[in-house]
Structures are given as C-alpha cells and as structure tokens.
Amino acid sequence: MTDKPDRSMTPGDDRIPGDPDSDMREADIAQEGEGVVEPGLVVEHDDEIELDERPEAEPADVDADAGAEVGAESAEAVDDPEPDDDPEPEPSEEPETGDDPDPDESSVEVDEPDDAVLTAPVARETTPADAGDGGNGTWHGESDGDEPSAHWGRRIVLGLAAVLAVLYVGGYFLTGSRMPANATIGGVDVSGKSPAAARSAVDEALTPNVDREITLTHGGTDFDVRPEAAGLAFDLDGSISQAGGQRSWKPADIAGLFVGDHEFAPALDVDDAKLQSAIGTIGEKVNKDVVEAQITFPKGKPEPREPKAGRVVARADAATAVREAYLVNDKPIKVPTAVVEPAVDSDGLTDAMKEIAEPAVSGPVTIRVGDKSVKLPVSAYAPALVVRVEDGKLQPHLDAKKLAKPLTDSTTGIGRKAVDATVRIENGKPVVVPGKEGVGLQPKEMATKLIPALARSGAQRSVEVEAKLVEPLFTTKDAKALRIKEKISSFETKFPYAEYRNTNQGRAAALINGTILEPGETFSFNDVVGERTAANGFVSGTVINGGVFREELGGGVSQVATTTYNAGFFGAMDDVEHHPHAFYINRYPVGREATVYFGSLDLRFKNPTKYGVLIRANVVKSTPSSPGRMQVELWSTKVYEVNAGKSGRRNGRSPGKQYDDTDKCVPQEPIKGFDIDIYRTFYQGGKKIKTETDTANYQAADNVICGKKPESPNDPSE
C-alpha cells in the first residue's frame, strides 16, 4: 500500500511556485529545525510504506519541510534500506518544479510483520555531526556500545555451563563402570579395573585370610583373636561398592576416576558385642587395678600404702586395631592401653598421715556408759580402722564387724556379748545355727561415734553411749535368707609329705572354713587367710619366688589356693583374679591352678548368684607313707552345671641352667614351658548357656644346681 498525502489537504503548505511569500514561509519553516513532525502524519497498524520509488539523490533546494518528514519516516522504518536496482518514478499530479520529484510525492515501502505498529519519529534537535552526515539531516538512531559485549559474556558463561553439565553427567555414567585411579582395597591394586575385575582380584587376595587369627601382644604375652569369635566377617561386595564400584553423583568420586591416590580398607560385617567380649578377655590379663592411697594400722601404728596408677585396655582403640588388622596384617599388634590415675596422689597421702592417721592412734578413747567409764585402747580399734579413699579423698573408716570382738573384749564389764548366726554342715546337710542377742555396745553405733573422737586430743577423746540390746551382726533371719541347701562343687588335691605343708595348709584351711559369701560378695584369699607370718600360725616352707624354689614363711599355701580356685571354678563363681604358677607343677590340674603371695598375688572370686555360698575347707595331713589331701567344698543352691575342657599345649619353651651357692638354694629339675587354653562351659537344664576361655602361660623352669658354677666350660657337670 502506498500512502501519498494530498498536498491540497495539508495545512500550511500553500506555497506557489515563484511566489516570494511562499519562499518566505519555507524559510520560516526551515528555521524551526529538523525533526519537527508534520502534523497529521501517522502510519497506522498494518499500513505499509513503499520504498520502491525513491530518488537516487535529493537536490540541494529540496523542500526542507518535506525532506525532514521523509527522512524521519525512513529512519523509523529501516536503519539503512537498500535502494532498488532500477527504481521507477511514480507519475506526479503536481507540476514539476525541477528535474527531481517533489519529496512530498515520494514514498518508501517496508515489509513489516502483520502486527507491527509504526508511528511518527520522535523529534530531536539536529547536531552539527548530524548535519555533516551526507548533508541530508537524516537520523540514524543511537546504540549502547556495551550491549554486544554483555551478550557475548552471557553466551560464554552459558556455553561453559553446558560443557560442564555434559562432563558431569558423563562422569556419573563413568562411575560404577571402572574403579578410581591409583586405588587399592586392603592393599590389593584395583586401579582403573572394572568392578567385576576388581572383585575377582580382591576375592583372590583376601578371602583366604578370613579365618586367620589376629594377634595382639602386651608385655611379652600374645593374645590370638579368632575372627569368628570376635564377630568379624568379610564383606566382599561391600568392599567393591565403597571403593567406587557403584555410580555416584559426588564430584569427588567423579574426579577420583582420574586423579589422586585412593586407599580403601576392606568392608566388614562386625558384631560389636562379640568384638567387645573378645577385647574384654584380653583386658582380664592386661588390666591392672589402680592402687589407691590407703593407711592401715596392723600393729597400732599407721602404715601408708603409696598410690599406683592402674592400666586398662583402651577398648575403642583395641576394637579399631583389630578391625584394621583383620585380613591384611599377619603381624602382632600392640594392645592399646590407657593409664588410670589414683584419686589421691603421694602428697595427699602425706597430708592424711599427719592430719588423720597420727592423731587417730595418739591415745585411748574413753567410753562412758551411764555412771561407768572404760578406756578403749588403741589396740582394740586400730585393726578395724582404715583411712581410705572415699568421694575422692582420704577419710577414716571403722569396720563394725572387725570392731565387734575387740570392743566386747575391752568392755567386758558392760553387758554381754552377742553371737552371730551361722550355717554349718551336720550329717551331710546345711543347718542354720541361730544367733544370740547381747547387751552392751552396738558395734555399728560405736563405729560411727568413734570416728569424730579419733581426731581429738586429751579429755576430748571420749564418747558417751548407752548400753542397749545388741543384735548380732549376722542374724538368724539373714542366715535363712541365703537359702544354702546343697553342695554345688568340691575339689581335692594331693600333696607329698612335709610337716611344713601339714601346718601351713591346715592353718589356711581353718581360716577359710565356714566363710560365707553373700550374693554379690567377693572372696579374697589374702583377706581371709591374712599375711603368712609366724604370729598368724605359719612356718617356713618351700615357695616359688623369681622362677625358682625358695624357703619362706607360708610355703605350701598355694596348694590351698589352687584347691579353692577349682572349687570356685566348678561352683560357677566369677573369676576375679587368679595367677597360675610361674612354671607348671604336675600335681595340679594343668591350666587350672593358682598361686598367692601376700601383698601382690591374690585369689579372688565373686558370688554372682542370688544365694549365699558357704565355703568348707579341710586338710587330711600327709604322713611319711601317705600323701596329704586338701579338700574344699562350696554349699549353696545350684544354678549351673559346669564342665571343663582344654586345648593342646603350644609355644613350647626350653629350660636353661643356673647355679645357686646361697643357703636358700633348693635343687630343681628342668621343666619345659608352654601355653594352654582352658575352657569352662556352663549348662542349665541340659542346655549350654555360655563358654569362657582362660589362657595359662607357663615359663620354662631352669635346672637349678646348688653350688658355684664350674669355671671350666668342659666340666662334666655341664
């Protein structure tokens, strides 16, 4: 469509060729400047502007008004339209004023979308630069110089993002199809292998080790842990998966296919309860109880015991060490341990000696009962007194049971003594012997009231009490509640003739006989028997000290300990502490024997049942023609049947030879050393409940020759 405005209808355009007034009006219009929009010129939606007929060049005297109008329309329509190769002029209805067509008569045509809207260009002032552009005053528009750079920046970022996305997705699909670079599983090289090939390599290298024991060592003792018993199992498929055998969106896993070093431990299925049980068994041998500071008064004078740090197996570290060693390490690993510090150090013990112990035994304590008064000597309460750690500090404590007898003996003029109930065996059956009430001082009350008085001096060291009905410490009701009704175990060992054995074993048996363990109570051989001294009824005999026989007080008492240990073993008592002899003595059951040494080695077991346990001990003395017999029985209510088993002997050790020219020498034949496991299996109603394992480590016993070592290496005695 061609839009040609009708000159006769255009306001203000009444110029007549050759008319001076018309020329003046033209000049006035020119002075208004380019860009003045001609009123009434609007191109409506869907109208077209013809560009077909356009003059190749405009004359200098072209109508300024018309030129500005056409130039503005052209600038709005196209930036720089290309002219037709052969434009043809349209016929003109007006008289020609020159060779060129009237600008008002010319038109341009632009192809626009159907929905385009064209309006008249916005008027602007012409700058000199515009005027110099071809001299025609045509406006070509403005542009933002930064816009192309911004477009290119966005395109580069989008391009990089697209490349990274493609690489990321490709990396995801590559994971799971090959193992990472420089990768090992339990030391097996799987770098770049397919998961199937990696699985075969790991299976071939590690599966043969699934039943191999893990060895831990401490202080020269090895502990072999069976994987099955410790709850360890190899997870082959899990090992491959965790090392890169499955697809992953993690960037680190994708990058790991090409770079880095990747070491993976084998994946395991672990039963933590079994693993902790295995570590606990090691702890029974490695753990060392902390020795707390303590002050006792065995002879009426304070004797301090220095504190010593304890040791325990660091369970978490040990579990980690066992897991890490499984399948990949066949060398012994050190048992991780932790130090347990005592609550009170040596300085605290020194302070307690001055502030508590020494004042406590500085003199007797006066006891006033009504109009009577008696002095309680230091010797009466000192054996029951102990300064021990309670609530993190050293504090005095009086044992009412140990105080009862000396208190009664020292206050005989006050009332009468109470008698404890007990249980004894009559005609093969346990019988409760009732206790008897007394009148006098209550041991428990006295133990409480004496403590403050021990810190005082002079006349202030006194206590006022009333004589009361005194209940036995162990009543008839207490005895009946124990429900001791049958023999649950017994054991007997034989010993060769020796008078010191008859004396020492007889004395130890008499001290043990009649001991009652209440539920949860622990038996201690050293506490019950006491120190093996002449004052306590013991004589010198042969003992093992430093790996050789020696003559010392209490020789032969270990036979009582061994027999008592076995009675507790078959009576289902909890083994708290026992120590096999340094070397094996063949009159004892192998692996099931115990030695004691006052102050360092003890025999202890705990009553784990809800019933009381009565211990009976007896010695049938030896004669020159017959061996002696040591017998121990436990009476209670039976809970378990116990069977014993043992492994074969292993780790044999050969004895050496030594000479001893001291007067304490005891000749000794060589004895080989070895290790052996002892099993204890518990049954209830014919069903196996549990099995415990204990290992005995016997050193070799040297061949001891009494006398000086020969100087010549060729001496026949060698």
Side-chain angles (χ1 to χ4, degrees), residues 190-210:
V190 295
S191 305
K193 295 180 183 291
S194 68
R199 188 183 190 281
S200 297
V202 174
D203 185 23
E204 181 180 356
L206 299 186
T207 298
N209 301 336
V210 294

Side-chain angles (χ1 to χ4, degrees), residues 629-649:
R629 298 197 308 274
M630 178 68 227
Q631 302 166 332
V632 177
E633 299 173 346
L634 298 189
W635 291 73
S636 183
T637 294
K638 200 172 191 67
V639 177
Y640 297 108
E641 290 285 348
V642 175
N643 289 345
K646 62 183 179 181
S647 69
R649 302 183 184 188

Side-chain angles (χ1 to χ4, degrees), residues 525-562:
F525 188 95
N526 284 341
D527 284 352
V528 173
V529 175
E531 188 171 2
R532 274 66 85 186
T533 63
N536 197 18
F538 293 92
V539 297
S540 293
T542 303
V543 300
I544 298 175
N545 192 342
V548 297
F549 289 116
R550 284 284 184 266
E551 288 290 329
E552 290 186 16
L553 283 167
V557 168
S558 287
Q559 178 116 19
V560 182
T562 290

Side-chain angles (χ1 to χ4, degrees), residues 590-611:
V590 62
R592 294 201 326 265
E593 42 89 25
T595 185
V596 289
Y597 197 85
F598 192 83
S600 59
L601 303 177
D602 198 2
L603 167 65
R604 293 185 295 155
F605 54 75
K606 180 180 178 181
N607 174 14
T609 73
K610 61 182 179 181
Y611 309 105

Side-chain angles (χ1 to χ4, degrees), residues 456-626:
R456 304 177 192 140
S457 60
Q460 293 183 338
R461 290 177 68 84
S462 65
V463 175
E464 275 195 36
V465 294
E466 293 181 5
K468 299 176 181 178
L469 187 67
V470 179
E471 287 285 341
L473 292 176
F474 189 68
T475 66
T476 304
K477 183 179 179 180
D478 294 335
K480 289 181 178 179
L482 297 179
R483 289 182 284 177
I484 298 172
K485 62 181 183 181
E486 60 187 323
K487 182 165 61 177
I488 62 171
S489 69
S490 64
F491 203 78
E492 179 180 288
T493 58
K494 295 181 179 180
F495 57 92
Y497 170 72
E499 280 302 326
Y500 78 86
R501 292 184 182 278
N502 289 336
T503 300
N504 290 340
Q505 292 185 37
R507 174 58 177 161
L511 292 169
I512 291 173
N513 189 49
T515 299
I516 292 178
L517 295 182
E518 296 184 28
E521 191 174 2
T522 297
F523 169 83
S524 165
F525 188 95
N526 284 341
D527 284 352
V528 173
V529 175
E531 188 171 2
R532 274 66 85 186
T533 63
N536 197 18
F538 293 92
V539 297
S540 293
T542 303
V543 300
I544 298 175
N545 192 342
V548 297
F549 289 116
R550 284 284 184 266
E551 288 290 329
E552 290 186 16
L553 283 167
V557 168
S558 287
Q559 178 116 19
V560 182
T562 290
T563 312
T564 305
Y565 165 74
N566 276 274
F569 181 96
F570 288 103
M573 299 293 102
D574 284 350
D575 183 7
V576 177
E577 177 186 358
H578 88 279
H579 306 271
H581 286 83
F583 50 83
Y584 176 54
I585 300 173
N586 60 14
R587 67 173 177 272
Y588 299 147
V590 62
R592 294 201 326 265
E593 42 89 25
T595 185
V596 289
Y597 197 85
F598 192 83
S600 59
L601 303 177
D602 198 2
L603 167 65
R604 293 185 295 155
F605 54 75
K606 180 180 178 181
N607 174 14
T609 73
K610 61 182 179 181
Y611 309 105
V613 175
L614 169 66
I615 304 176
R616 294 188 72 200
N618 179 60
V619 168
V620 177
K621 294 184 177 181
S622 63
T623 68
S625 59
S626 62

Side-chain angles (χ1 to χ4, degrees), residues 164-402:
L164 291 174
V166 171
L167 292 175
Y168 186 47
V169 173
Y172 165 75
F173 284 103
L174 192 57
T175 58
S177 64
R178 57 165 285 179
M179 305 304 287
N182 302 322
T184 60
I185 300 176
V188 181
D189 187 6
V190 295
S191 305
K193 295 180 183 291
S194 68
R199 188 183 190 281
S200 297
V202 174
D203 185 23
E204 181 180 356
L206 299 186
T207 298
N209 301 336
V210 294
D211 294 324
R212 186 173 67 193
E213 294 182 340
I214 304 102
T215 301
L216 293 91
T217 183
H218 179 84
T221 301
D222 290 342
F223 304 93
D224 295 326
V225 177
R226 293 186 300 108
E228 183 180 2
L232 301 177
F234 179 33
D235 182 358
L236 176 58
D237 292 331
S239 299
I240 303 303
S241 294
Q242 74 175 11
Q246 60 183 4
R247 284 180 176 161
S248 171
W249 285 109
K250 294 180 180 179
D253 293 342
I254 295 173
L257 294 171
F258 310 101
V259 297
D261 295 325
H262 309 280
E263 296 181 0
F264 299 95
L268 306 177
D269 289 327
V270 182
D271 185 328
D272 289 328
K274 287 186 176 180
L275 179 56
Q276 286 300 320
S277 177
I279 293 171
T281 300
I282 296 173
E284 291 175 2
K285 294 289 185 181
V286 174
N287 291 352
K288 180 181 176 183
D289 290 341
V290 62
V291 177
E292 294 288 359
Q294 183 174 286
I295 306 171
T296 55
F297 306 82
K299 298 178 181 179
K301 293 182 179 180
E303 290 189 5
R305 182 179 72 186
E306 285 292 330
K308 294 181 182 178
R311 177 181 61 234
V312 295
V313 172
R315 285 179 168 265
D317 293 341
T320 299
V322 170
R323 286 195 296 264
E324 291 178 350
Y326 180 47
L327 300 172
V328 300
N329 187 4
D330 59 354
K331 297 179 180 179
I333 56 178
K334 189 175 181 180
V335 177
T337 60
V339 175
V340 182
E341 295 292 346
V344 177
D345 59 16
S346 294
D347 291 341
L349 176 60
T350 301
D351 293 341
M353 283 286 289
K354 295 178 181 178
E355 298 170 6
I356 301 174
E358 292 175 1
V361 293
S362 61
V365 177
T366 301
I367 299 177
R368 294 188 174 89
V369 183
D371 57 354
K372 294 183 180 181
S373 63
V374 295
K375 288 189 178 295
L376 187 66
V378 172
S379 59
Y381 65 81
L385 177 63
V386 61
V387 180
R388 65 189 183 192
V389 174
E390 293 180 359
D391 299 327
K393 59 183 179 180
L394 286 167
Q395 301 185 54
H397 174 79
L398 275 168
D399 187 330
K401 288 184 178 181
K402 293 182 178 180

Side-chain angles (χ1 to χ4, degrees), residues 14-89:
D14 54 355
R15 177 170 56 86
I16 301 173
D19 186 350
D21 294 336
S22 299
D23 294 335
M24 290 178 65
R25 287 194 300 273
E26 181 179 359
D28 292 339
I29 294 171
Q31 289 177 1
E32 294 177 9
E34 291 185 23
V36 177
V37 180
E38 181 180 353
L41 180 58
V42 177
V43 181
E44 296 295 339
H45 181 63
D46 289 338
D47 287 350
E48 296 180 353
I49 298 176
E50 296 286 342
L51 296 179
D52 293 335
E53 295 184 20
R54 175 180 175 184
E56 293 182 3
E58 293 184 354
D61 59 348
V62 68
D63 188 322
D65 223 358
E69 178 183 333
V70 174
E73 289 180 73
S74 301
E76 179 69 22
V78 292
D79 286 341
D80 189 14
E82 293 290 336
D84 293 338
D85 293 335
D86 190 15
E88 296 182 0

